[in-house]
Amino acid sequence: MDANADPKELEKFAALAQGWWDPKGSSRPLHELNPLRLQYVQRIAGAGNGGLGAVRALDVGCGGGILSEALARAGARVLGIDLSPAVLQVAELHALEAAVAVEYRGVAVEDLAREQPRSFDLVTCMEMLEHVPDPAASVAALAGLAKPGGTVIMSTLNRNPLAFAVAIVGAEYIARALPRGTHEYLKFIRPSELARWGRKAGLELHDLTGITYNPLTRSFRLSPDTRVNYLAHFTRTAT
């Protein structure tokens, strides 16, 4: 197994595998976030009516395949990768039952970058970077997988007191929207850090967009406020 993976993190998500596609279970936040993520991706990488036809897409840290399937339904040719056999099994079974064409592989992003460099028009990595020991290495691998001029979209959590209060205290202990221990505050990533890792890897940052949560309506929305969750849009430089 690639060194840039924490076995405890993999075990944590494997334990959630069977409920991955339950929109009212422990993965409810993923289901609620997914339409926003897809909207953001389509706005950047889509053509015409927002479809992703002819786009070869890679979904890194795909989990049970919620975003991977959405990208495929929008027309992309999708490869989803993850290091948890349990969640990949769930992803493969759900895609089969839903008749959605998605390919899944159990491979580390760093290994795939060596195997298929500069191969994808679109690379997505949602809520994974804060769970790996060396996120900068993952960013470099994401960059290496994108074609020159290709799109790389990441999402993660900012590191500041508000993010701690909302994402850990609020989501895990008060609202119990996430299992306790889902996140570790010191692994959260400031936008300046992500931008620096991207530049070093040959990525140009174009946009940062926040995701905010309204506890009264229990709904997420895209926002200029990047203090908690945020999405980052990069392109791979031509050289």
Side-chain angles (χ1 to χ4, degrees):
M1 182 176 292
D2 190 90
N4 193 20
D6 185 339
K8 292 182 179 179
E9 292 285 345
L10 295 178
E11 291 173 6
K12 182 190 305 180
F13 289 103
L16 303 174
Q18 296 307 312
W20 208 279
W21 281 93
D22 180 359
K24 295 184 179 180
S26 58
S27 295
R28 176 175 177 172
L30 294 178
H31 289 272
E32 293 174 339
L33 275 170
N34 200 57
L36 288 182
R37 291 173 174 173
L38 181 62
Q39 175 187 335
Y40 187 81
V41 171
Q42 288 181 304
R43 188 175 76 201
I44 291 166
N49 62 358
L52 296 172
V55 170
R56 189 179 184 210
L58 173 68
D59 186 19
V60 178
C62 64
I66 295 173
L67 178 61
S68 297
E69 283 199 17
L71 294 173
R73 290 181 187 277
R77 292 176 294 127
V78 183
L79 170 62
I81 66 171
D82 204 288
L83 285 175
S84 171
V87 297
L88 284 177
Q89 185 177 32
V90 168
E92 290 171 345
L93 180 59
H94 193 275
L96 180 65
E97 292 175 342
V100 180
V102 182
E103 179 187 358
Y104 291 107
R105 285 186 60 187
V107 61
V109 63
E110 294 85 0
D111 291 339
L112 189 65
R114 288 186 285 268
E115 176 189 319
Q116 298 187 40
R118 301 187 174 200
S119 296
F120 296 89
D121 305 293
L122 168 66
V123 179
T124 62
C125 182
M126 305 296 189
E127 307 295 327
M128 188 199 84
L129 294 175
E130 68 272 20
H131 296 286
V132 300
D134 186 355
S138 293
V139 171
L142 297 172
L145 283 156
K147 294 178 180 179
T151 298
V152 180
I153 297 176
M154 311 175 211
S155 72
T156 190
L157 285 155
N158 205 337
R159 190 171 72 254
N160 56 52
L162 179 63
F164 175 80
V166 173
I168 295 181
V169 177
E172 297 183 19
Y173 287 83
I174 297 176
R176 297 183 181 179
L178 295 171
R180 291 187 181 184
T182 297
H183 294 112
E184 296 180 35
Y185 173 69
L186 292 179
K187 291 185 177 181
F188 290 2
I189 300 166
R190 294 187 179 116
S192 59
E193 295 169 331
L194 189 59
R196 183 173 71 250
W197 300 335
R199 284 194 303 272
K200 187 175 180 180
L203 294 175
E204 180 179 355
L205 178 64
H206 293 279
D207 176 70
L208 290 171
T209 294
I211 299 174
T212 57
Y213 180 71
N214 186 328
L216 297 178
T217 60
R218 299 181 65 90
S219 62
F220 293 92
R221 68 180 180 88
L222 298 177
S223 164
D225 187 351
T226 61
R227 291 178 297 169
V228 184
N229 290 79
Y230 64 95
L231 290 146
H233 164 214
F234 296 86
T235 56
R236 181 74 164 91
T237 57
T239 57

